[in-house]
Amino acid sequence: MGILVNKDSKVIVQGMTGREGASHSRAMKEFGTQVVAGVTPGKGGTDFEGWPVFNSVAEAKKATGANVSIIFVPPAGAADAVLEAAHAGVPLIILITEGVPTVDMMKAVQEVKALDAENRAAGGEGIRLIGGNCPGLVTNGEAKVGIMPNKIYTNPGRIGLISRSGTLTYEAAKLLNDAGMGTSTTVGIGGDPVIGTTFADVLPLFEADPDTDAVVVIGEIGGADEEAAAEYIAANMKKPVVAFISGRSAPAGKRMGHAGAIIMGNVGTPESKLAAFKAANVPVADTMPEIIDLVKAALGQ
Amino acid sequence: MKLHEYQGKEILRQFGVNVQEGKVARTPDEVRQIARDYGQPVVVKAQVHVGGRGKAGGVKFSPTEDKAFENGEKILGMDIKGLTVNKVLVTKAVDIDAGVEYYIGMIVDRNVQSFTLMASAEGGMEIEEVAAATPEKIIHHRVDPVTGLRPYEAREVAIKAGFKGNLNKIADMMVKLSRAALERDAVLVEINPLFVDESGTPIALDTKFEIDDNAMYRHQDLADWRELEAEHPLEIEASKYGFAYVKLDDGNVGVLGNGAGIVMTSLDVVNRAGAKPANFLDIGGGAKAEIVYNAVKLVSKDTDVKAIFINIFGGITRADEVAKGVIQALNEGILTKPVRMRIAGTAEEEAKALLAEVNSPLIQMFPNMFDAAAEAAKEANK
């Protein structure tokens, strides 16, 4: 089953008729995901490769009963697309778009959190945003709502994977796949400074998931998400967690591609992340292949 | 986009911040003229996008017109951390002893998913040094991105930070700083020092201002401020191609890959292999052969680079496109340094076939990133 998405998830694609939206809609369908509709304002009522297209998320949700939306809208309209989905009551929103202005994300994340609290207070299941600038998520053997290559998920397994980096998500998923362990759910949370869901938000879902035995966390320099994750693990997790930190040799003060991957003063250094994981008894792999050995050891294999 | 001090001050002025008066000069004669107009001691300050200008001799107090001219001659044309000083800001000097220096700043803070306002009574110093030595001396306050900073919150921060002077005026400056940060899509804005004179009035003496590149499309009025000559030539070229590129000091291995995470990890792997990465270059997702060709061309131009390590995990990116780009660079004679690469993922087999056809000793493929990095390191350290 995994977490967040499964074979029963009904997915709409905001920006389906754009280049990225179209190719990934096809790839998700090939994976077996139930993609039920597209949303492109102005193209409502048309058909796109067999999918109905709607003018708004609200219309698409009403007509299809969708419960997940994945967004491929260009940066200038991406945060607005998130808010449209959130106000339409879509419980899981995945923002793939890269390059969204940070101030837009600050406002959107805050509003989604307020709607989430409101929705829960009214007895609903809440509203969760994942990303932006993320590769999405995959529950192996069931559904992919994202842009990961399908072929690295041929081996459904029982290891949960959470990552800030797109490519390293692929790398880790392939390593787990090739090692015969496979993944339960992979969650790419994104590398931007302001994102909807953090490591510490995802960890409790894996802890509660009967189909996950251990969790791999792929972190990087910058911010204090890994430190917060370590704190959560120490206090709450019974399942083993293994970590990897990217960018350990990056110089301070330089922004390494990910806007979030920058060491500012003494915040976000590899040392503070390593120390936090050490304090939480989370083994940290020196190289990515070592992740496999550490997971095996943690599971007593 | 990083702004010069004078540009950052101009934006703050537009938001109503009390900024110290100053003018830009490009020649020593202009410096003298400004000093004469002000009729008082001035400070001549290099306008370059690097920290530590003062320590590098780029900021000089000038009690007389002649001294201002002399300092202008010294600073203009000076090299600070690899950048040439083409402009100086000449400001009226302030008698620092007749007041106090504070620090205020707004920074994008991922831990609170918004801006954090920082304030410290330890002004005039590098705030990173204060943060490292005495973190308790910096007050942090999350700013609501929708409402902005309210005056009462600003006063609370000023009181906690131990600021003296006209608290209403200081709080007002903080509110204006926060408006500038939110409305101008700042990544970082600092006023340091924030000088509070004997009458209790705050004045911004220096500022750092950096704008979110992702939001530049809505600040077209500032686009002209981007000064390409003030950035490293290879970084300018990289920005034309849309690469994320960072030149690193003391490196000998050029590093490129597809995605920030994998490139960061590639830097780690090169270090581990006993060499030093000369750059960080992310070609992004879905790169075609031409992009890769341009990336190889760019890295090849760096004379510090002795070997190139390419690390690709193709999802959207096709390995054969990467191979084609590298081969084109080889065929055109641009590629003269050994390339050691690891390409996995989409169209990996096609890439291998293309490279086998070319069969050049300059280009070698390896099944994993460690072997490729080790070979690149070996070549670079020869």
Side-chain angles (χ1 to χ4, degrees):
Chain A
M1 278 291 281
I3 61 167
L4 295 164
V5 292
N6 58 41
K7 60 182 178 353
D8 299 322
S9 300
K10 290 185 174 178
V11 180
I12 54 175
V13 181
Q14 288 175 257
M16 178 187 262
T17 56
R19 191 171 59 104
E20 296 289 314
S23 72
H24 290 294
S25 294
R26 285 178 214 121
M28 285 188 281
K29 186 183 168 187
E30 276 166 30
F31 193 89
T33 310
Q34 279 197 60
V35 177
V36 295
V39 176
T40 302
K43 291 192 179 167
T46 62
D47 169 283
F48 183 78
E49 299 182 11
W51 285 297
V53 177
F54 295 88
N55 280 324
S56 73
V57 175
E59 285 172 19
K61 183 173 182 283
K62 199 175 163 207
T64 63
N67 57 3
V68 184
S69 183
I70 180 167
I71 300 174
F72 291 96
V73 171
D80 186 59
V82 168
L83 293 175
E84 184 188 349
H87 282 279
V90 177
L92 179 61
I93 303 160
I94 294 145
L95 176 61
I96 303 295
T97 311
E98 185 177 351
V100 183
T102 304
V103 168
D104 293 4
M105 284 307 296
M106 287 175 183
K107 292 177 182 171
V109 165
Q110 180 162 310
E111 199 166 332
V112 169
K113 289 205 165 133
L115 283 168
D116 174 60
E118 215 174 278
N119 185 302
R120 282 170 197 276
E125 58 179 312
I127 294 171
R128 179 189 297 277
L129 168 66
I130 293 178
N133 190 15
C134 80
L137 39 137
V138 184
T139 294
N140 210 340
E142 300 209 22
K144 177 183 87 166
V145 189
I147 60 173
M148 295 90 158
N150 289 353
K151 68 175 185 188
I152 57 176
Y153 293 98
T154 53
N155 215 346
R158 300 182 60 83
I159 311 299
L161 177 60
I162 324 173
S163 171
R164 265 169 79 178
S165 146
T167 338
L168 294 186
T169 311
Y170 309 162
E171 192 88 46
K174 186 172 191 300
L175 285 168
L176 289 162
N177 190 72
D178 295 352
M181 277 192 263
T183 47
S184 53
T185 299
T186 296
V187 186
I189 59 172
D192 277 357
V194 177
I195 50 175
T197 295
T198 62
F199 289 125
D201 295 329
V202 181
L203 286 166
L205 307 179
F206 278 129
E207 176 71 8
D209 176 32
D211 295 320
T212 298
D213 294 336
V215 184
V216 174
V217 168
I218 310 283
E220 63 191 24
I221 56 160
D225 286 7
E226 290 79 2
E227 287 86 335
E231 218 169 280
Y232 180 85
I233 294 162
N236 304 291
M237 295 279 292
K238 297 207 168 53
K239 290 179 186 175
V241 181
V242 165
F244 175 78
I245 304 290
S246 173
R248 281 157 73 167
S249 63
K254 298 261 191 188
R255 179 169 296 120
M256 291 295 156
H258 280 175
I262 178 168
I263 300 172
M264 302 290 286
N266 56 357
V267 179
T269 63
E271 291 77 20
S272 79
K273 292 178 193 301
L274 293 172
F277 281 130
K278 192 174 179 197
N281 284 321
V282 173
V284 180
D286 265 347
T287 65
M288 292 204 72
E290 205 187 310
I291 291 171
I292 303 299
D293 303 334
L294 295 180
V295 172
K296 280 183 179 162
L299 292 173
Q301 294 173 5
Chain B
M1 177 170 99
K2 280 185 184 169
L3 303 184
H4 284 303
E5 174 190 357
Y6 75 93
Q7 295 166 330
K9 282 179 165 173
E10 177 54 34
I11 292 183
L12 291 176
R13 201 177 279 123
Q14 289 165 8
F15 281 85
V17 172
N18 186 23
V19 173
Q20 182 194 28
E21 206 176 325
K23 281 188 182 134
V24 174
R26 285 175 178 77
T27 64
D29 285 325
E30 285 175 17
V31 175
R32 183 198 295 277
Q33 187 58 48
I34 297 165
R36 183 175 299 159
D37 293 345
Y38 283 155
Q40 66 171 71
V42 295
V43 182
V44 182
K45 306 165 96 174
Q47 299 294 289
V48 277
H49 294 308
V50 288
R53 291 175 305 173
K55 280 180 202 150
V59 177
K60 290 199 182 295
F61 176 75
S62 313
T64 63
E65 275 175 49
D66 286 342
K67 195 72 192 167
F69 177 85
E70 205 178 289
N71 285 332
E73 271 190 321
K74 267 187 207 155
I75 297 173
L76 284 159
M78 186 177 173
D79 182 281
I80 303 182
K81 296 181 187 169
L83 292 172
T84 309
V85 180
N86 295 314
K87 281 182 293 195
V88 290
L89 176 64
V90 185
T91 64
K92 286 185 178 177
V94 167
D95 180 5
I96 297 289
D97 296 334
V100 280
E101 290 179 292
Y102 296 139
Y103 166 94
I104 56 174
M106 283 273 285
I107 183 163
V108 169
D109 182 350
R110 61 181 298 145
N111 300 324
V112 299
Q113 302 274 282
S114 186
F115 278 104
T116 285
L117 171 71
M118 297 188 292
S120 176
E122 302 283 312
M125 287 174 63
E126 292 276 336
I127 200 66
E128 288 83 359
E129 287 168 24
V130 181
T134 49
E136 71 282 359
K137 288 188 175 166
I138 303 175
I139 303 302
H140 295 250
H141 177 80
R142 179 186 188 267
V143 174
D144 186 300
V146 178
T147 62
L149 181 73
R150 271 77 59 97
Y152 83 88
E153 295 174 272
R155 286 194 301 274
E156 277 176 13
V157 171
I159 292 163
K160 272 192 207 160
F163 287 3
K164 307 277 186 265
N166 186 326
L167 285 183
N168 279 321
K169 280 190 180 171
I170 293 172
D172 182 57
M173 188 185 264
M174 291 178 174
V175 168
K176 285 168 173 162
L177 177 81
S178 97
R179 278 189 49 219
L182 277 158
E183 289 178 31
R184 283 304 198 167
D185 284 292
V187 174
L188 164 87
V189 193
E190 289 179 350
I191 296 176
N192 186 30
L194 159 60
F195 183 70
V196 178
D197 68 16
E198 283 170 310
S199 75
T201 305
I203 310 161
L205 293 196
D206 196 353
T207 179
K208 254 189 208 168
F209 208 119
E210 188 176 348
I211 296 180
D212 180 0
D213 284 317
N214 289 336
M216 277 309 291
Y217 69 90
R218 54 190 177 206
H219 302 291
Q220 280 310 310
D221 57 320
L222 307 181
D224 295 347
W225 284 5
R226 173 156 266 161
E227 290 169 356
L228 295 181
E229 73 272 15
E231 294 171 22
H232 286 283
L234 291 179
E235 290 184 357
I236 300 162
E237 201 174 325
S239 72
K240 277 189 221 154
Y241 299 131
F243 301 144
Y245 171 87
V246 182
K247 167 77 179 150
L248 301 171
D249 299 333
D250 312 319
N252 54 4
V253 177
V255 181
L256 63 100
N258 61 327
I262 201 169
V263 184
M264 265 192 278
T265 289
S266 305
L267 303 183
D268 296 344
V269 174
V270 167
N271 260 299
R272 207 176 282 275
K276 293 273 266 176
N279 67 275
F280 167 103
L281 198 165
D282 173 11
I283 60 169
K288 296 286 181 222
E290 193 193 343
I291 297 278
V292 177
Y293 164 78
N294 285 328
V296 171
K297 192 163 109 179
L298 184 79
V299 173
S300 300
K301 275 186 192 167
D302 184 341
T303 50
D304 296 340
V305 168
K306 305 298 175 212
I308 300 172
F309 169 40
I310 299 180
N311 192 6
I312 303 287
F313 196 113
I316 309 173
T317 309
R318 292 182 58 94
D320 54 346
E321 290 288 327
V322 175
K324 279 180 201 163
V326 176
I327 292 167
Q328 190 191 340
L330 178 78
N331 290 343
E332 291 184 16
I334 289 161
L335 184 65
T336 53
K337 296 160 189 173
V339 172
R340 300 296 176 254
M341 56 201 227
R342 174 276 199 154
I343 309 185
T346 312
E348 184 181 327
E349 295 308 316
E350 290 91 325
K352 275 185 196 153
L354 286 170
L355 291 170
E357 213 171 290
V358 173
N359 191 23
S360 161
L362 274 184
I363 309 173
Q364 285 177 24
M365 237 174 121
F366 294 84
N368 68 61
M369 65 167 99
F370 308 103
D371 294 345
E375 285 301 316
K378 207 165 93 187
E379 293 291 338
N381 291 336
K382 260 184 189 171

